[in-house]
């Protein structure tokens, strides 16, 4: 028995030497050979299982000379169009495009639907590592449109497909909020029929941006829903950084850095690192990220994600199930206006977080002004009612500051009981907590504080008399 045991031990030792000590399976040299072969195929990139850690971006999402040369050609073509002397017919088309869209549709219709701009990511992003593409969640990209120029809408779609790993895009849903322009009817159907993974959802009546987004989310099949406006162009490597943050924490709402597309020249301008904020009129704005912000958030690098108290609302990604778990949108609101503020406060106070991701860049056309009509006669009153709902449900005693600043109380808020009940059920934190921990630079206006002090003094004087 002893000799047999010794023989087995020697055989086991010999096998371990042959297999690199892995106890069986492919010999170690074979494994190394396979990895080397894969590396050769992918230009030095080797995809590893999650068990082995995070991985770099694939070559598809990295810059190369061919992409650069194409961007140079497209940029020169754009510049030439801007220098061109327009014929009378072109001037008429230019003016008609502005009337319909409040941007230069003429130039948009001339440039390629696959237009490539310069890569606007920080250089450090190119070596950043994320969960592998097969580990990241699938994505339903939802684009709401109403009387959009067809060229900007289709360029948005193609930029998603051209600059995203195929595996990560489950579908692209184009939600038509009852457009009445002919070019968005049969001609768009014919265009979309030949575009992979893309379909149109046509609403039977004008519903407004808020309801259209919810309808799109209900039909989505991806793990993540990602909303884009209908006049965007995605940068290389835009998607993986967003999905990676959601993979790490499903309650994260991830926003790209928004580059600007000039509404006249169609030039790309790199976006800045800015926190989404709002003032006491609940009007959204951007604040530059400061050293104090970085210190508070413990950011060590310029490419680290950072917390944002609010989001603009047009471009963001979040777990599809979490979108509904945390209350979707307030369906008591009309058309658009204030829904981004409501969602921002709700996400933060009810256990989620909002992050801006410096390695994700999406360019957006900022129009001269909105060309669209609201469902209601007076858009200012519609927005005021929407904001009043935010105040009544989420601002607690600070709603008095909002009403003092805006004078909107006269417009009412409608029935908010369901949203208040939802907030209580989810055990959401107070607005004071939000101001202290998230929006730490939202200060009570001095004018309001003075008026409160004066009122208290008047009340004391009356009691004394």
């Amino acid at each position: 028995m002893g000799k047999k045991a010794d023989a087995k031990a020697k055989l086991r030792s010999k096998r371990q030497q042959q297999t690199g000590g892995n106890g069986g399976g492919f010999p170690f040299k074979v494994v190394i050979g396979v990895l080397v072969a894969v590396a050769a195929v992918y230009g030095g990139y080797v995809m590893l299982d999650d068990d082995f850690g995070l991985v770099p971006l694939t070559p598809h999402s990295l810059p190369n000379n061919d992409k650069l040369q194409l961007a140079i050609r497209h940029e020169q073509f754009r510049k030439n169009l801007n220098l061109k002397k327009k014929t009378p017919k072109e001037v008429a088309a230019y003016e008609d495009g502005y009337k319909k869209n409040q941007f230069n549709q003429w130039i948009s219709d001339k440039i390629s639907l696959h237009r490539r701009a310069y890569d606007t990511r920080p250089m450090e992003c190119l070596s950043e590592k994320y969960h592998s593409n097969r580990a990241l969640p699938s994505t339903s990209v939802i684009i709401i449109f109403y009387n959009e120029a067809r060229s900007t809408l289709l360029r948005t779609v193609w930029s998603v497909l051209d600059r995203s790993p195929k595996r990560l895009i489950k579908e692209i849903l184009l939600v038509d909020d009852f457009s009445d322009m002919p070019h968005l009817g049969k001609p768009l159907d014919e265009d979309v029929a030949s575009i992979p993974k893309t379909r149109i959802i046509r609403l039977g009546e004008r519903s407004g941006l808020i309801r259209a987004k919810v309808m799109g989310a209900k039909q989505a099949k991806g793990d993540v829903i990602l909303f884009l406006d209908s006049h965007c162009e995605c940068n290389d490597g835009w998607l993986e950084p967003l999905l990676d943050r959601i993979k790490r924490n499903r309650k994260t709402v991830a926003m790209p850095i928004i580059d600007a597309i000039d509404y006249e020249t169609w030039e790309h301008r790199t976006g800045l690192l800015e926190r989404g904020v709002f003032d006491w009129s609940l009007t959204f704005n951007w604040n530059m990220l400061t050293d104090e912000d970085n210190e508070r958030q413990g950011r060590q690098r310029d490419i680290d994600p950072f917390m944002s108290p609010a989001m603009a609302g047009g471009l963001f990604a979040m777990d599809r199930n979490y979108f509904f778990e945390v209350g979707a949108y307030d369906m008591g609101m009309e058309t658009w206006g204030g829904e981004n503020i409501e969602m921002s406060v709700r996400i933060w106070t009810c256990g989620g977080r909002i992050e801006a991701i410096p390695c994700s860049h999406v360019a957006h056309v900022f129009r001269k002004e909105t060309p669209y009509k609201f469902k209601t006669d007076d858009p200012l009153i519609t927005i005021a009612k929407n904001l009043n709902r935010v105040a009544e449900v989420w601002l607690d005693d600070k709603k008095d500051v909002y009403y003092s600043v805006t004078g909107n109380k006269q417009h009412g808020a409608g029935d908010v009981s369901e949203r208040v009940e939802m907030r209580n059920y989810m055990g959401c934190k107070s607005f004071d907590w939000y101001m202290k921990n998230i929006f730490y630079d939202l200060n009570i206006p001095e004018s309001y504080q003075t008026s409160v002090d004066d009122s208290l003094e008047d009340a004391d004087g009356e009691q004394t008399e």
Side-chain angles (χ1 to χ4, degrees), residues 106-355:
W106 176 81
I107 198 171
S108 175
D109 292 347
K110 296 286 185 182
I111 62 179
S112 172
L113 295 180
H114 302 269
R115 190 258 284 252
R116 176 168 288 280
Y118 295 121
D119 197 325
T120 56
R121 291 172 291 178
M123 185 67 68
E124 295 85 350
C125 294
L126 305 182
S127 58
E128 191 70 348
K129 295 183 178 181
Y130 306 100
H131 287 90
S132 68
N133 287 346
R134 64 179 174 182
L136 290 174
S138 63
T139 309
S140 292
V141 178
I142 302 172
I143 302 170
I144 313 299
F145 70 94
Y146 172 72
N147 285 348
E148 181 68 50
R150 196 156 97 251
S151 60
T152 51
L153 176 61
L154 293 176
R155 191 175 298 110
T156 302
V157 173
W158 278 115
S159 77
V160 170
L161 293 171
D162 290 345
R163 288 158 209 149
S164 308
K166 290 182 180 180
R167 187 196 175 282
L168 298 181
I169 300 297
K170 180 75 172 180
E171 59 189 349
I172 301 175
L173 304 180
L174 305 181
V175 183
D176 175 16
D177 190 17
F178 208 56
S179 299
D180 56 16
M181 291 185 174
H183 68 266
L184 295 172
K186 185 177 179 181
L188 182 63
D189 288 335
E190 293 173 350
D191 286 329
V192 171
S194 61
I195 300 177
K197 299 185 178 182
T198 304
R199 61 189 175 99
I200 303 174
I201 300 171
R202 298 200 184 269
L203 305 185
E205 61 180 1
R206 184 80 194 280
S207 301
L209 179 66
I210 296 167
R211 289 181 175 82
K213 281 187 171 183
V214 174
M215 292 176 188
K218 286 182 177 179
Q219 295 209 30
K221 300 175 183 177
D223 302 315
V224 164
I225 52 175
L226 194 156
F227 292 102
L228 291 178
D229 284 345
S230 51
H231 31 269
C232 291
E233 297 177 31
C234 302
N235 197 89
D236 280 326
W238 73 289
L239 185 56
E240 298 95 315
L242 299 176
L243 299 182
D244 183 78
R245 299 305 294 177
I246 298 171
K247 170 74 174 178
R248 294 166 189 254
N249 179 356
R250 67 179 293 268
K251 293 185 178 182
T252 293
V253 177
M255 306 184 302
I257 301 302
I258 304 177
D259 298 338
I261 300 175
D262 188 279
Y263 64 80
E264 170 61 26
T265 66
W266 237 248
E267 178 185 8
H268 277 234
R269 295 171 182 165
T270 305
L272 304 173
L273 299 188
E274 298 174 306
R275 296 161 62 238
V277 297
F278 54 86
D279 58 23
W280 283 105
S281 68
L282 303 187
T283 300
F284 179 84
N285 210 335
W286 297 101
N287 276 357
M288 285 290 295
L289 198 66
T290 65
D291 291 339
E292 180 187 355
D293 296 325
N294 290 330
E295 186 176 348
R296 279 178 175 267
Q297 299 187 27
R299 295 182 75 240
Q300 301 297 317
R301 306 176 300 165
D302 287 339
I303 65 171
D304 287 338
F306 56 91
M307 301 190 309
S308 182
M311 58 180 174
L315 288 64
F316 67 92
M318 65 187 298
D319 180 275
R320 176 171 53 85
N321 290 331
Y322 181 58
F323 174 78
F324 291 106
E325 289 170 14
V326 78
Y329 280 110
D330 180 355
M331 300 298 275
M333 291 184 171
E334 283 291 344
T335 311
W336 65 265
E339 77 283 354
N340 58 319
I341 306 299
E342 191 272 347
M343 174 174 270
S344 299
V345 178
R346 173 163 43 88
I347 291 292
W348 276 115
T349 59
C350 300
R353 59 189 292 110
I354 300 171
E355 293 183 347

Side-chain angles (χ1 to χ4, degrees), residues 44 83 96 108 120 124 147 204 232 305 361 383 385 393:
L83 294 172
D96 182 61
S108 175
T120 56
E124 295 85 350
N147 285 348
C232 291
H361 280 246
I383 294 174
K385 289 180 178 178
V393 177

